[in-house]
Amino acid sequence: MGGAVSAGEDNDELIDNLKEAQYIRTELVEQAFRAVDRADYYLEEFKENAYKDLAWKHGNIHLSAPCIYSEVMEALDLQPGLSFLNLGSGTGYLSSMVGLILGPFGVNHGVELHSDVIEYAKQKLDFFIRTSDSFDKFDFCEPSFVIGNCLEISPDCSQYDRVYCGAGVQKEHEEYMKSLLKVGGILVMPLEEKLTKITRTGPSAWETKKILAVSFAPLIQPCHSETGKSRLVQLRSLKIPPG
C-alpha cells in the first residue's frame, strides 16, 4: 500500500510531497511529521527506502506507507490533552508523532502483540528522546507500550478520546472497537478494506466516514490458554485517562 507520492531525498522532502498531494492538510500534523524522522524507525540496512511512499515489513516489524499515516493523523483530529490508544502500536513511529501533539497532559498508550516489536519500539523511543531537538518546540506525551492482543483489553479499562487500530478489523469486531471510545471520541481503523473514521456522537450514536481503500493484514485472533481463559490486557498500570 502506498506509492501515492514521489519519494523524498530526506524526511522534509517526503513531507513536502505529502503536503503537495494533500495527504497532510493541517499545520499540527505537518509539524509532527517533520519532527519525527521516519528513517529512524527503519533497520539500518533498509534506510534507503525510508522516504519512499511505501509500507515496510521485516519479520514482525512493520511501518505503513507515509500517505496512510498522513490520512490517519488527519482523521484523528488530535488536540493537546486528549487520551490516545494505539492498537498494534508497532515501532512506535505513529505514537511518537501523536505524543508531540497531545502534550504533557495527554495520555498515550499502545498495545502490541509481539514482544520483540515492543523492545524495538522502546529502543526507538529512547533514541528519539535522546537525540531529537523537537522538545524545544513541543511538550511530549511519552507513549507507554504494553504487550498483548488488542482484542483482549480488560473490560474495566477506561475509554479513550482517540483510538487507532493498525490491523484490518473484521466486521464482527467493530462493536468491540467502538466500545473503547468515549462519547465525542474518534476511532480510525481499516474496516473491510477501507480506512474508516467513526465518531461517537452519543452513547449509542455514531457517524461513519470511509476515507480510502487500503490493504492491511487482519487482526490476529486471541489464542486461549489450556485453561480456556484468555489473558486480558491490563492498561490500569499505565497513566489512566480521566473518566
Side-chain angles (χ1 to χ4, degrees):
M1 195 69 211
V5 302
S6 302
E9 288 294 318
D10 57 22
N11 198 64
D12 277 328
E13 192 172 310
L14 173 63
I15 307 317
D16 291 343
N17 294 342
L18 290 165
K19 269 188 74 181
E20 189 178 343
Q22 291 289 300
Y23 283 100
I24 292 177
R25 300 179 290 276
T26 58
E27 190 175 339
L28 262 183
V29 170
E30 178 188 348
Q31 288 174 348
F33 266 88
R34 291 196 189 279
V36 183
D37 194 322
R38 182 176 167 90
D40 290 341
Y41 291 80
Y42 275 66
L43 290 166
E44 194 65 42
E45 61 266 37
F46 299 102
K47 284 193 174 184
E48 72 272 12
N49 294 316
Y51 306 123
K52 296 176 181 175
D53 188 32
L54 297 171
W56 173 63
K57 187 169 182 0
H58 182 79
N60 292 324
I61 302 166
H62 176 262
L63 280 165
S64 292
C67 67
I68 301 296
Y69 283 133
S70 303
E71 289 286 10
V72 168
M73 288 282 286
E74 291 288 359
L76 285 169
D77 189 19
L78 296 160
Q79 299 156 37
L82 295 181
S83 56
F84 173 64
L85 178 62
N86 188 354
L87 301 172
S89 49
T91 65
Y93 171 64
L94 179 70
S95 291
S96 291
M97 289 195 292
V98 169
L100 291 171
I101 296 176
L102 296 182
F105 304 110
V107 172
N108 194 355
H109 292 169
V111 178
E112 170 55 47
L113 186 61
H114 302 288
S115 58
D116 59 326
V117 180
I118 291 250
E119 278 312 304
Y120 187 86
K122 287 178 177 176
Q123 290 168 16
K124 296 302 179 186
L125 176 61
D126 180 62
F127 179 80
F128 176 66
I129 290 171
R130 282 189 293 107
T131 63
S132 177
D133 59 4
S134 303
F135 306 120
D136 298 335
K137 301 186 283 286
F138 297 94
D139 288 316
F140 189 45
C141 181
E142 185 175 330
S144 301
F145 304 114
V146 296
I147 189 165
N149 189 304
C150 64
L151 291 172
E152 296 185 303
I153 291 173
S154 177
D156 64 356
C157 159
S158 296
Q159 293 172 313
Y160 291 79
D161 297 303
R162 300 290 186 268
V163 178
Y164 172 64
C165 182
V169 178
Q170 298 89 344
K171 189 69 178 172
E172 64 262 31
H173 299 308
E174 180 181 357
E175 292 304 314
Y176 167 86
M177 291 291 172
K178 287 157 73 170
S179 73
L180 300 171
L181 206 58
K182 290 181 183 178
V183 173
I186 294 170
L187 163 66
V188 179
M189 62 181 175
L191 181 66
E192 298 182 306
E193 303 294 300
K194 294 277 197 307
L195 189 65
T196 304
K197 175 180 179 176
I198 298 175
T199 306
R200 187 169 194 172
T201 56
S204 55
W206 313 85
E207 284 180 4
T208 300
K209 178 186 177 187
K210 300 202 180 302
I211 301 169
L212 80 166
V214 291
S215 177
F216 276 67
L219 280 172
I220 294 173
Q221 302 301 304
C223 292
H224 291 275
S225 65
E226 291 175 11
T227 63
K229 292 182 179 176
S230 60
R231 296 178 60 186
L232 293 178
V233 178
Q234 301 293 337
L235 295 171
R236 289 198 166 275
S237 59
L238 304 176
K239 182 183 170 189
I240 296 301

